[in-house]
mmCIF file of all heavy atoms in Angstrom:
data_model
loop_
_atom_site.group_PDB
_atom_site.id
_atom_site.type_symbol
_atom_site.label_atom_id
_atom_site.label_comp_id
_atom_site.label_asym_id
_atom_site.label_seq_id
_atom_site.Cartn_x
_atom_site.Cartn_y
_atom_site.Cartn_z
ATOM 1 N N VAL A 24 60.633 -25.476 -57.339
ATOM 2 C CA VAL A 24 60.336 -24.721 -56.153
ATOM 3 C C VAL A 24 60.575 -23.259 -56.420
ATOM 4 O O VAL A 24 59.817 -22.407 -56.032
ATOM 5 C CB VAL A 24 61.249 -25.206 -55.000
ATOM 6 C CG1 VAL A 24 61.218 -24.341 -53.791
ATOM 7 C CG2 VAL A 24 60.870 -26.627 -54.621
ATOM 8 N N THR A 25 61.642 -22.871 -57.077
ATOM 9 C CA THR A 25 61.949 -21.478 -57.339
ATOM 10 C C THR A 25 60.778 -20.903 -58.186
ATOM 11 O O THR A 25 60.347 -19.742 -57.921
ATOM 12 C CB THR A 25 63.274 -21.319 -58.094
ATOM 13 O OG1 THR A 25 64.285 -22.007 -57.362
ATOM 14 C CG2 THR A 25 63.672 -19.820 -58.175
ATOM 15 N N VAL A 26 60.499 -21.566 -59.227
ATOM 16 C CA VAL A 26 59.455 -21.020 -60.139
ATOM 17 C C VAL A 26 58.143 -20.866 -59.447
ATOM 18 O O VAL A 26 57.416 -19.886 -59.572
ATOM 19 C CB VAL A 26 59.290 -22.018 -61.307
ATOM 20 C CG1 VAL A 26 58.051 -21.713 -62.129
ATOM 21 C CG2 VAL A 26 60.461 -21.926 -62.283
ATOM 22 N N THR A 27 57.765 -21.860 -58.450
ATOM 23 C CA THR A 27 56.473 -21.700 -57.718
ATOM 24 C C THR A 27 56.644 -20.541 -56.838
ATOM 25 O O THR A 27 55.656 -19.788 -56.714
ATOM 26 C CB THR A 27 56.189 -22.994 -56.979
ATOM 27 O OG1 THR A 27 56.263 -24.142 -57.841
ATOM 28 C CG2 THR A 27 54.917 -22.910 -56.300
ATOM 29 N N VAL A 28 57.710 -20.347 -56.139
ATOM 30 C CA VAL A 28 57.865 -19.214 -55.233
ATOM 31 C C VAL A 28 57.793 -17.892 -56.011
ATOM 32 O O VAL A 28 56.956 -17.020 -55.519
ATOM 33 C CB VAL A 28 59.123 -19.313 -54.444
ATOM 34 C CG1 VAL A 28 59.455 -17.982 -53.774
ATOM 35 C CG2 VAL A 28 59.207 -20.474 -53.447
ATOM 36 N N LEU A 29 58.333 -17.837 -57.079
ATOM 37 C CA LEU A 29 58.307 -16.531 -57.861
ATOM 38 C C LEU A 29 56.850 -16.253 -58.416
ATOM 39 O O LEU A 29 56.440 -15.118 -58.581
ATOM 40 C CB LEU A 29 59.299 -16.630 -59.036
ATOM 41 C CG LEU A 29 60.656 -16.432 -58.667
ATOM 42 C CD1 LEU A 29 61.523 -16.647 -59.961
ATOM 43 C CD2 LEU A 29 61.054 -15.238 -57.960
ATOM 44 N N ASP A 30 56.152 -17.429 -58.674
ATOM 45 C CA ASP A 30 54.746 -17.191 -59.344
ATOM 46 C C ASP A 30 53.788 -16.930 -58.302
ATOM 47 O O ASP A 30 52.732 -16.273 -58.466
ATOM 48 C CB ASP A 30 54.388 -18.487 -60.116
ATOM 49 C CG ASP A 30 54.941 -18.523 -61.523
ATOM 50 O OD1 ASP A 30 55.519 -17.530 -61.910
ATOM 51 O OD2 ASP A 30 54.896 -19.609 -62.055
ATOM 52 N N ARG A 31 53.959 -17.528 -57.004
ATOM 53 C CA ARG A 31 52.825 -17.470 -56.138
ATOM 54 C C ARG A 31 53.183 -16.678 -54.916
ATOM 55 O O ARG A 31 52.144 -16.253 -54.191
ATOM 56 C CB ARG A 31 52.564 -18.927 -55.541
ATOM 57 C CG ARG A 31 52.133 -19.858 -56.561
ATOM 58 C CD ARG A 31 50.662 -20.248 -56.282
ATOM 59 N NE ARG A 31 50.124 -21.185 -57.328
ATOM 60 C CZ ARG A 31 48.910 -21.400 -57.744
ATOM 61 N NH1 ARG A 31 48.037 -20.777 -57.051
ATOM 62 N NH2 ARG A 31 48.652 -22.167 -58.682
ATOM 63 N N PHE A 32 54.387 -16.489 -54.564
ATOM 64 C CA PHE A 32 54.621 -15.799 -53.181
ATOM 65 C C PHE A 32 55.263 -14.516 -53.388
ATOM 66 O O PHE A 32 54.713 -13.462 -53.029
ATOM 67 C CB PHE A 32 55.473 -16.758 -52.327
ATOM 68 C CG PHE A 32 54.846 -17.997 -51.993
ATOM 69 C CD1 PHE A 32 55.136 -19.236 -52.603
ATOM 70 C CD2 PHE A 32 53.736 -18.027 -51.124
ATOM 71 C CE1 PHE A 32 54.425 -20.343 -52.256
ATOM 72 C CE2 PHE A 32 53.017 -19.189 -50.784
ATOM 73 C CZ PHE A 32 53.409 -20.328 -51.360
ATOM 74 N N ALA A 33 56.549 -14.411 -53.912
ATOM 75 C CA ALA A 33 57.202 -13.168 -53.852
ATOM 76 C C ALA A 33 58.024 -13.104 -55.259
ATOM 77 O O ALA A 33 58.538 -14.069 -55.645
ATOM 78 C CB ALA A 33 58.158 -13.085 -52.669
ATOM 79 N N TYR A 34 58.178 -11.889 -55.660
ATOM 80 C CA TYR A 34 58.854 -11.642 -56.951
ATOM 81 C C TYR A 34 59.726 -10.365 -56.581
ATOM 82 O O TYR A 34 59.353 -9.575 -55.882
ATOM 83 C CB TYR A 34 57.821 -11.361 -57.905
ATOM 84 C CG TYR A 34 58.289 -11.425 -59.356
ATOM 85 C CD1 TYR A 34 58.320 -12.647 -60.051
ATOM 86 C CD2 TYR A 34 58.591 -10.290 -60.041
ATOM 87 C CE1 TYR A 34 58.691 -12.620 -61.496
ATOM 88 C CE2 TYR A 34 59.035 -10.340 -61.419
ATOM 89 C CZ TYR A 34 59.024 -11.544 -62.088
ATOM 90 O OH TYR A 34 59.409 -11.538 -63.367
ATOM 91 N N VAL A 35 60.847 -10.403 -57.319
ATOM 92 C CA VAL A 35 61.704 -9.194 -57.051
ATOM 93 C C VAL A 35 61.921 -8.539 -58.412
ATOM 94 O O VAL A 35 62.091 -9.197 -59.469
ATOM 95 C CB VAL A 35 63.203 -9.676 -56.548
ATOM 96 C CG1 VAL A 35 64.081 -8.506 -56.485
ATOM 97 C CG2 VAL A 35 62.980 -10.226 -55.193
ATOM 98 N N ALA A 36 61.815 -7.190 -58.438
ATOM 99 C CA ALA A 36 61.864 -6.515 -59.697
ATOM 100 C C ALA A 36 62.519 -5.085 -59.575
ATOM 101 O O ALA A 36 62.468 -4.490 -58.565
ATOM 102 C CB ALA A 36 60.484 -6.307 -60.250
ATOM 103 N N ARG A 37 63.251 -4.837 -60.657
ATOM 104 C CA ARG A 37 63.874 -3.550 -60.679
ATOM 105 C C ARG A 37 62.992 -2.461 -61.230
ATOM 106 O O ARG A 37 62.308 -2.769 -62.284
ATOM 107 C CB ARG A 37 65.203 -3.553 -61.544
ATOM 108 C CG ARG A 37 65.972 -2.347 -61.730
ATOM 109 C CD ARG A 37 67.243 -2.614 -62.526
ATOM 110 N NE ARG A 37 68.137 -3.375 -61.734
ATOM 111 C CZ ARG A 37 69.165 -2.782 -61.075
ATOM 112 N NH1 ARG A 37 69.276 -1.500 -61.097
ATOM 113 N NH2 ARG A 37 69.981 -3.500 -60.375
ATOM 114 N N VAL A 38 62.842 -1.361 -60.659
ATOM 115 C CA VAL A 38 61.960 -0.338 -61.260
ATOM 116 C C VAL A 38 62.627 0.534 -62.171
ATOM 117 O O VAL A 38 63.766 1.091 -61.891
ATOM 118 C CB VAL A 38 61.390 0.514 -60.030
ATOM 119 C CG1 VAL A 38 60.529 1.604 -60.614
ATOM 120 C CG2 VAL A 38 60.666 -0.359 -59.033
ATOM 121 N N GLU A 39 62.109 0.742 -63.319
ATOM 122 C CA GLU A 39 62.695 1.507 -64.385
ATOM 123 C C GLU A 39 61.796 2.747 -64.624
ATOM 124 O O GLU A 39 60.616 2.556 -64.759
ATOM 125 C CB GLU A 39 63.088 0.736 -65.739
ATOM 126 C CG GLU A 39 64.249 -0.136 -65.443
ATOM 127 C CD GLU A 39 64.315 -1.098 -66.592
ATOM 128 O OE1 GLU A 39 63.842 -0.908 -67.600
ATOM 129 O OE2 GLU A 39 65.119 -2.170 -66.389
ATOM 130 N N GLY A 40 62.452 3.892 -64.943
ATOM 131 C CA GLY A 40 61.665 5.031 -65.394
ATOM 132 C C GLY A 40 61.292 5.892 -64.202
ATOM 133 O O GLY A 40 61.655 5.586 -62.974
ATOM 134 N N ALA A 41 60.718 6.976 -64.636
ATOM 135 C CA ALA A 41 60.487 8.208 -63.614
ATOM 136 C C ALA A 41 58.994 8.214 -63.312
ATOM 137 O O ALA A 41 58.646 9.281 -62.710
ATOM 138 C CB ALA A 41 61.014 9.494 -64.231
ATOM 139 N N SER A 42 58.129 7.227 -63.712
ATOM 140 C CA SER A 42 56.731 7.497 -63.565
ATOM 141 C C SER A 42 56.301 7.514 -62.079
ATOM 142 O O SER A 42 55.214 7.956 -61.900
ATOM 143 C CB SER A 42 55.936 6.684 -64.392
ATOM 144 O OG SER A 42 56.106 5.324 -63.866
#
Side-chain angles (χ1 to χ4, degrees):
Chain A
V24 170
T25 312
V26 168
T27 305
V28 167
L29 290 177
D30 281 349
R31 295 249 180 205
F32 296 105
Y34 196 86
V35 174
R37 177 179 286 267
V38 177
E39 279 166 25
S42 63

